[in-house]
Amino acid sequence: MRSVYLDNNATTMVAPEVREAILPLLESEYGNPSSMHGLGGSSGKLLSEARERVAAGLGCSPSEIIFTSCGTESDNTAIHSATESQPEKKHIITTRVEHPAVLNVAKHFERKGYDITLLSVDSEGRMDLDQLRKAIRPDTALVSVMYANNESGVISPIEEMVQITKERGVLFHTDAVQAIGKIPIDLKTLPVDYLALSGHKIHAPKGVGVLFLRRNTPFRPFMLGGHQELGRRGGTENIPGIVGLGMAMDLAGKHIGEENTRVRAMRDRLEKGLMATIPDAMVNGVGAERLPNTLSIAFKYIEGEAMLLLLDQFGICASSGSACTSGSLEPSHVLRAMGVPFTYAHGSLRFSLSVYNTDEDIDLVLKELPPIISRLREFSPFRRGDEGLDWVEDH
Amino acid sequence: MWEYTDKVREHFLNPKNSGTIENADAVGEVGSLSCGDALRLFLKIDDEGRIEDAKFQTFGCASAIASSSVLTEMVKGMTIEEAEKVTNKDIADALGGLPKEKMHCSVMGQEALDDAIRCYRGLDVAPAPEGEIVCKCFGVTDLQIKKAVLENKLTTLEEVTNFTKAGGGCEDCHGRIKEIIDEVRFGAPDVKPLEVKPVKLTNIKRFQLVSQTIEEEIRPALHKDGGDIELVDIEGTVVIVSLRGSCVGCPSSNLTLKDFVERRLKETVEEAITVREA
């Protein structure tokens, strides 16, 4: 059975060009770039080339690139740097819809005595600039706002938020893991201090990420060890991953037009098709500017995990913000922050596309999902006109 | 992805006895919207008190659907006395086991069966559980946690959450749940916990918190369904509001006020808050 992969915000397939670039490194080019011999030297050269490729993709200098293990490490390092370098400042601003790589770090600092301000979003997932203006204080160490949301796809007004933050002399970090490769980002014109990205979201392998660190921005290493990455991140570099990431950044630049034309058109066709054929559905963040590849859609009266497992029978891979998919008891914090009612939040599905999807993939979802939803609704105790929710605890 | 047994998969993909029973002799209803599961169980019971037929309607994940399906298979042919001895462990065992995080689905099955039996016997819905509410998110009391710990030999917070849902929300109760586990396992501590007096809000602070919660959380949620709300006045702890848009004249407007608006204000502002419409 052909797999229809529509879960690209979770991870992506390794691009064929990336795979080709990496394979020789696993066979013969295995030198340590820090070694003083030929094999090490050639790895060092590959490392430099990859750094230049990533820098070119972001519009920054190679010396502003630190290779890490993932987006989470990059986010952690940025927040750690901003707080450790300004010990007198005990206030962090972030948002209710961040990835756990930021939210859980904020919670950690809260336990250490920091004040944390979590900016809200409206029902479409949009942020309010006035809320940010009011939240900044003299002791604010960092503002950390994701570039685009992994679940709803809603894009944050980063340019305006950076401007507001910079006017007050506060450091700014953005988790751009979902934005890279989907919307143009040029760090020459976007004055963020820290930016995190992850290789496996842009068709590089898992286990490699980048922290952009603007020149002269305060920095404290998070990984202590050797002199690698100019002493900013100890640990032998993951050369195959880094080379793959360099290649993936090149590809991301080439594909960005297609992301915003063909991929967007497929996403829109999927969205319109599902909304036209399935009653009691709603698109999360429909009124906001969204990533071209992401559709978060919720279906009332049924639960997401059940839909995912039935879609899996047809080889269709998607994800859900329902509680049951995560083992928690509450649905997605992003959907709840948007005020999505429980009955919809539990019935949410996220389809996230890539340039490797085809019209046939969309056709298959449009064919198979409506009967799945009808079937699950048949044995749901809730239905239109007879919600029958009065006997259910609404905690 | 969860590791489901073949039996769970089979009961999920081909559920037995889904649907309703016309003129059922007993209906059991249980569920929680926040954790996304609800079960309505229908029983047809003969004159001898034996369950002739059982059907279910379930809103929930694969485990919830499979637990409902296997429960209906199990109880068919049982007398009421036999059925009331069915435990959540029996349901989980009949499925060849459930992931530990999903054990509450089997608990839901057992609770629905209890509710149906109460219905058959003409008893009112189960009284509110006794004891001190420990987990405010899911309304679980200390006595319920103690019972689960004792009956299932639970030793960790994670296990308590898996079986009772307690602690699965805001996490504020984690410390108390751990104390309860220790009390059951090792006996109550000699020292009584200090009594914490609730903080009394000033009128201005209460007004600020109520306004903020309505603007940032309640109004956006109502907008989703074409409704709206306006804060009219606050008299002591009574919050007076006016519903707008599609909420006006909606048959569920009382539920909206009590189960959503009032509950949220109790959680975010003050337990004593009540809401009424202008």
mmCIF file of all heavy atoms in Angstrom, chain B residues 96-117:
data_model
loop_
_atom_site.group_PDB
_atom_site.id
_atom_site.type_symbol
_atom_site.label_atom_id
_atom_site.label_comp_id
_atom_site.label_asym_id
_atom_site.label_seq_id
_atom_site.Cartn_x
_atom_site.Cartn_y
_atom_site.Cartn_z
ATOM 1 N N GLY B 96 -6.981 -8.067 26.415
ATOM 2 C CA GLY B 96 -5.566 -8.455 26.373
ATOM 3 C C GLY B 96 -4.673 -7.346 26.892
ATOM 4 O O GLY B 96 -3.477 -7.320 26.626
ATOM 5 N N GLY B 97 -5.283 -6.401 27.631
ATOM 6 C CA GLY B 97 -4.513 -5.292 28.209
ATOM 7 C C GLY B 97 -4.691 -4.010 27.416
ATOM 8 O O GLY B 97 -5.069 -4.030 26.241
ATOM 9 N N LEU B 98 -4.446 -2.902 28.110
ATOM 10 C CA LEU B 98 -4.487 -1.573 27.479
ATOM 11 C C LEU B 98 -3.185 -0.859 27.814
ATOM 12 O O LEU B 98 -2.574 -1.147 28.848
ATOM 13 C CB LEU B 98 -5.650 -0.753 28.048
ATOM 14 C CG LEU B 98 -7.067 -1.077 27.567
ATOM 15 C CD1 LEU B 98 -8.097 -0.360 28.440
ATOM 16 C CD2 LEU B 98 -7.239 -0.665 26.105
ATOM 17 N N PRO B 99 -2.738 0.078 26.975
ATOM 18 C CA PRO B 99 -1.589 0.899 27.387
ATOM 19 C C PRO B 99 -1.906 1.543 28.733
ATOM 20 O O PRO B 99 -3.055 1.926 28.974
ATOM 21 C CB PRO B 99 -1.487 1.947 26.276
ATOM 22 C CG PRO B 99 -2.190 1.357 25.101
ATOM 23 C CD PRO B 99 -3.275 0.487 25.668
ATOM 24 N N LYS B 100 -0.913 1.662 29.589
ATOM 25 C CA LYS B 100 -1.195 2.140 30.952
ATOM 26 C C LYS B 100 -1.852 3.525 30.944
ATOM 27 O O LYS B 100 -2.695 3.819 31.784
ATOM 28 C CB LYS B 100 0.071 2.130 31.808
ATOM 29 C CG LYS B 100 1.202 3.011 31.329
ATOM 30 C CD LYS B 100 2.403 2.815 32.225
ATOM 31 C CE LYS B 100 3.580 3.755 32.004
ATOM 32 N NZ LYS B 100 3.835 4.298 30.704
ATOM 33 N N GLU B 101 -1.493 4.329 29.954
ATOM 34 C CA GLU B 101 -2.081 5.677 29.873
ATOM 35 C C GLU B 101 -3.563 5.630 29.508
ATOM 36 O O GLU B 101 -4.260 6.639 29.579
ATOM 37 C CB GLU B 101 -1.348 6.520 28.822
ATOM 38 C CG GLU B 101 0.103 6.846 29.152
ATOM 39 C CD GLU B 101 1.058 5.743 28.718
ATOM 40 O OE1 GLU B 101 0.587 4.657 28.310
ATOM 41 O OE2 GLU B 101 2.283 5.969 28.797
ATOM 42 N N LYS B 102 -4.028 4.458 29.079
ATOM 43 C CA LYS B 102 -5.406 4.353 28.612
ATOM 44 C C LYS B 102 -6.293 3.568 29.577
ATOM 45 O O LYS B 102 -7.429 3.230 29.233
ATOM 46 C CB LYS B 102 -5.445 3.651 27.249
ATOM 47 C CG LYS B 102 -4.636 4.348 26.176
ATOM 48 C CD LYS B 102 -5.414 5.513 25.629
ATOM 49 C CE LYS B 102 -4.763 6.041 24.374
ATOM 50 N NZ LYS B 102 -5.659 6.731 23.519
ATOM 51 N N MET B 103 -5.780 3.259 30.750
ATOM 52 C CA MET B 103 -6.570 2.461 31.683
ATOM 53 C C MET B 103 -7.874 3.156 32.071
ATOM 54 O O MET B 103 -8.869 2.512 32.402
ATOM 55 C CB MET B 103 -5.752 2.139 32.941
ATOM 56 C CG MET B 103 -4.713 1.056 32.746
ATOM 57 S SD MET B 103 -5.411 -0.511 32.199
ATOM 58 C CE MET B 103 -6.215 -1.070 33.700
ATOM 59 N N HIS B 104 -7.876 4.493 32.007
ATOM 60 C CA HIS B 104 -9.107 5.190 32.383
ATOM 61 C C HIS B 104 -10.258 4.873 31.426
ATOM 62 O O HIS B 104 -11.422 5.066 31.776
ATOM 63 C CB HIS B 104 -8.883 6.705 32.490
ATOM 64 C CG HIS B 104 -8.467 7.354 31.215
ATOM 65 N ND1 HIS B 104 -7.145 7.566 30.899
ATOM 66 C CD2 HIS B 104 -9.178 7.823 30.191
ATOM 67 C CE1 HIS B 104 -7.077 8.148 29.719
ATOM 68 N NE2 HIS B 104 -8.306 8.313 29.257
ATOM 69 N N CYS B 105 -9.934 4.375 30.220
ATOM 70 C CA CYS B 105 -11.016 3.979 29.292
ATOM 71 C C CYS B 105 -11.770 2.770 29.851
ATOM 72 O O CYS B 105 -12.996 2.668 29.719
ATOM 73 C CB CYS B 105 -10.452 3.641 27.910
ATOM 74 S SG CYS B 105 -9.741 5.056 27.068
ATOM 75 N N SER B 106 -11.025 1.848 30.476
ATOM 76 C CA SER B 106 -11.694 0.698 31.084
ATOM 77 C C SER B 106 -12.479 1.136 32.314
ATOM 78 O O SER B 106 -13.559 0.607 32.604
ATOM 79 C CB SER B 106 -10.673 -0.395 31.451
ATOM 80 O OG SER B 106 -9.786 0.052 32.451
ATOM 81 N N VAL B 107 -11.955 2.137 33.027
ATOM 82 C CA VAL B 107 -12.672 2.666 34.193
ATOM 83 C C VAL B 107 -13.993 3.292 33.737
ATOM 84 O O VAL B 107 -15.035 3.124 34.378
ATOM 85 C CB VAL B 107 -11.802 3.709 34.938
ATOM 86 C CG1 VAL B 107 -12.600 4.388 36.048
ATOM 87 C CG2 VAL B 107 -10.550 3.055 35.509
ATOM 88 N N MET B 108 -13.954 3.976 32.594
ATOM 89 C CA MET B 108 -15.180 4.589 32.071
ATOM 90 C C MET B 108 -16.230 3.508 31.795
ATOM 91 O O MET B 108 -17.423 3.703 32.082
ATOM 92 C CB MET B 108 -14.873 5.370 30.785
ATOM 93 C CG MET B 108 -16.093 6.052 30.205
ATOM 94 S SD MET B 108 -15.712 7.158 28.836
ATOM 95 C CE MET B 108 -15.259 5.986 27.561
ATOM 96 N N GLY B 109 -15.801 2.379 31.243
ATOM 97 C CA GLY B 109 -16.730 1.282 30.974
ATOM 98 C C GLY B 109 -17.377 0.802 32.249
ATOM 99 O O GLY B 109 -18.603 0.611 32.325
ATOM 100 N N GLN B 110 -16.562 0.615 33.270
ATOM 101 C CA GLN B 110 -17.092 0.108 34.540
ATOM 102 C C GLN B 110 -18.043 1.125 35.178
ATOM 103 O O GLN B 110 -19.099 0.769 35.708
ATOM 104 C CB GLN B 110 -15.926 -0.202 35.474
ATOM 105 C CG GLN B 110 -16.271 -1.101 36.641
ATOM 106 C CD GLN B 110 -16.135 -0.378 37.961
ATOM 107 O OE1 GLN B 110 -15.223 0.432 38.127
ATOM 108 N NE2 GLN B 110 -17.018 -0.653 38.877
ATOM 109 N N GLU B 111 -17.702 2.409 35.067
ATOM 110 C CA GLU B 111 -18.567 3.453 35.642
ATOM 111 C C GLU B 111 -19.905 3.523 34.900
ATOM 112 O O GLU B 111 -20.952 3.743 35.518
ATOM 113 C CB GLU B 111 -17.856 4.812 35.588
ATOM 114 C CG GLU B 111 -16.721 4.911 36.608
ATOM 115 C CD GLU B 111 -15.942 6.218 36.518
ATOM 116 O OE1 GLU B 111 -16.144 6.974 35.544
ATOM 117 O OE2 GLU B 111 -15.115 6.467 37.406
ATOM 118 N N ALA B 112 -19.868 3.334 33.581
ATOM 119 C CA ALA B 112 -21.120 3.356 32.811
ATOM 120 C C ALA B 112 -22.000 2.171 33.204
ATOM 121 O O ALA B 112 -23.231 2.300 33.297
ATOM 122 C CB ALA B 112 -20.823 3.323 31.314
ATOM 123 N N LEU B 113 -21.374 1.036 33.435
ATOM 124 C CA LEU B 113 -22.128 -0.145 33.860
ATOM 125 C C LEU B 113 -22.757 0.106 35.238
ATOM 126 O O LEU B 113 -23.941 -0.194 35.464
ATOM 127 C CB LEU B 113 -21.194 -1.366 33.892
ATOM 128 C CG LEU B 113 -21.819 -2.695 34.284
ATOM 129 C CD1 LEU B 113 -22.953 -3.077 33.330
ATOM 130 C CD2 LEU B 113 -20.755 -3.800 34.289
ATOM 131 N N ASP B 114 -21.989 0.669 36.152
ATOM 132 C CA ASP B 114 -22.524 1.016 37.482
ATOM 133 C C ASP B 114 -23.723 1.949 37.345
ATOM 134 O O ASP B 114 -24.750 1.783 38.016
ATOM 135 C CB ASP B 114 -21.453 1.747 38.318
ATOM 136 C CG ASP B 114 -20.452 0.779 38.914
ATOM 137 O OD1 ASP B 114 -20.686 -0.435 38.830
ATOM 138 O OD2 ASP B 114 -19.423 1.249 39.446
ATOM 139 N N ASP B 115 -23.564 2.952 36.471
ATOM 140 C CA ASP B 115 -24.629 3.937 36.288
ATOM 141 C C ASP B 115 -25.885 3.266 35.725
ATOM 142 O O ASP B 115 -27.014 3.578 36.146
ATOM 143 C CB ASP B 115 -24.134 5.050 35.356
ATOM 144 C CG ASP B 115 -25.039 6.263 35.385
ATOM 145 O OD1 ASP B 115 -25.353 6.739 36.494
ATOM 146 O OD2 ASP B 115 -25.444 6.728 34.305
ATOM 147 N N ALA B 116 -25.678 2.350 34.780
ATOM 148 C CA ALA B 116 -26.827 1.650 34.183
ATOM 149 C C ALA B 116 -27.545 0.808 35.238
ATOM 150 O O ALA B 116 -28.790 0.760 35.283
ATOM 151 C CB ALA B 116 -26.358 0.771 33.028
ATOM 152 N N ILE B 117 -26.778 0.155 36.104
ATOM 153 C CA ILE B 117 -27.394 -0.684 37.136
ATOM 154 C C ILE B 117 -28.178 0.181 38.132
ATOM 155 O O ILE B 117 -29.280 -0.167 38.556
ATOM 156 C CB ILE B 117 -26.322 -1.549 37.837
ATOM 157 C CG1 ILE B 117 -25.762 -2.583 36.839
ATOM 158 C CG2 ILE B 117 -26.884 -2.254 39.067
ATOM 159 C CD1 ILE B 117 -24.550 -3.351 37.316
#
